[in-house]
Amino acid sequence: MTEIDIRHFDHLAAAELRPLLLEVYAEIYAKDTENPAFTAVDRFAPGLDSWSSKPGWTCVVGYDSDGEAVGYAYGAPLPEGARWWGGLLTEVPADVTTETGTRTYALSELMVREPWRKTGTARRLHDALLDVRTEERATLLVRQTHTKVHALYESWGWQTLGDLRPRIEDAPLFHAMLLPLRNAQ
């Protein structure tokens, strides 16, 4: 496993981190031919700003020994009445999607730059972000066409809840996934 220094940040550091997060995002999605309108940087930036302005937003960034960012992960707790589940296409009991503001942490992004993929970096960033959470569970969305990513999350203990299409123009179809959190209180 490649050694990296993982640093934790909250919403107070969002403005400082923004250029780095956008740079990594742009690099990772530069070759996206599947849905370039949905993954455009100018479309991602307002979502980043929205997420990172939430008081519960947290982010981890991994740095190599030269101080270069190798990847990041971030998310925030879902607020009471969250729109997150609004595009759910699979029927589930209402209590599964009921949010209290402290029940579910949404892992919004997990990105690793090419040279550090398949080194354990994604798992380290994932765990560093979620290991300190006190919510009962975490959720994330994986594009249904990204079968390898979906399988990777399943190998980490995530379970598919159902199909979800965000109510956003050009949004692809996703798998909504859940993970019980060990540190839930």
Side-chain angles (χ1 to χ4, degrees):
M1 187 177 329
T2 304
E3 287 302 316
I4 59 171
D5 175 30
I6 297 178
R7 300 178 199 161
H8 293 257
F9 302 94
D10 64 16
H11 72 285
L12 299 175
E16 177 186 336
L17 286 174
R18 187 179 193 272
L20 172 67
L21 301 181
L22 291 174
E23 174 189 322
V24 172
Y25 179 88
E27 179 182 313
I28 289 172
Y29 282 99
K31 298 175 186 170
D32 181 18
T33 57
E34 184 179 338
N35 193 345
F38 186 74
T39 58
V41 174
D42 62 345
R43 183 172 199 152
F44 175 75
L48 168 63
D49 295 340
S50 175
W51 274 100
S52 64
S53 68
K54 298 176 187 317
W57 182 81
T58 55
C59 178
V60 294
V61 180
Y63 295 90
D64 68 10
S65 60
D66 294 326
E68 183 177 350
V70 302
Y72 64 81
Y74 71 73
L78 293 179
E80 187 174 349
R83 295 177 30 205
W84 180 270
W85 305 111
L88 196 60
L89 303 172
T90 305
E91 286 193 39
V92 298
D95 66 322
V96 173
T97 59
T98 301
E99 295 302 336
T100 64
T102 59
R103 180 182 192 195
T104 308
Y105 183 85
L107 193 166
S108 180
E109 299 293 339
L110 173 59
M111 300 188 188
V112 176
R113 286 179 153 158
E114 189 79 36
W116 294 277
R117 292 186 186 161
K118 299 183 181 181
T119 65
T121 298
R123 181 65 189 261
R124 290 192 57 214
L125 292 169
H126 169 274
D127 290 354
L129 185 69
L130 296 179
D131 281 351
V132 298
R133 302 307 312 169
T134 58
E135 290 82 7
E136 166 187 331
R137 64 189 188 172
T139 186
L140 58 75
L141 303 177
V142 177
R143 278 197 212 180
Q144 288 197 358
T145 56
H146 294 178
T147 55
K148 289 181 181 179
V149 175
H150 185 265
L152 181 65
Y153 282 123
E154 282 185 331
S155 75
W156 296 349
W158 289 83
Q159 297 176 347
T160 302
L161 175 65
D163 298 337
L164 189 146
R165 185 180 310 275
R167 295 180 179 169
I168 303 170
E169 186 180 340
D170 300 321
L173 190 59
F174 289 88
H175 288 295
M177 301 185 82
L178 290 173
L179 176 72
L181 295 178
R182 297 177 297 280
N183 295 329
Q185 296 178 4

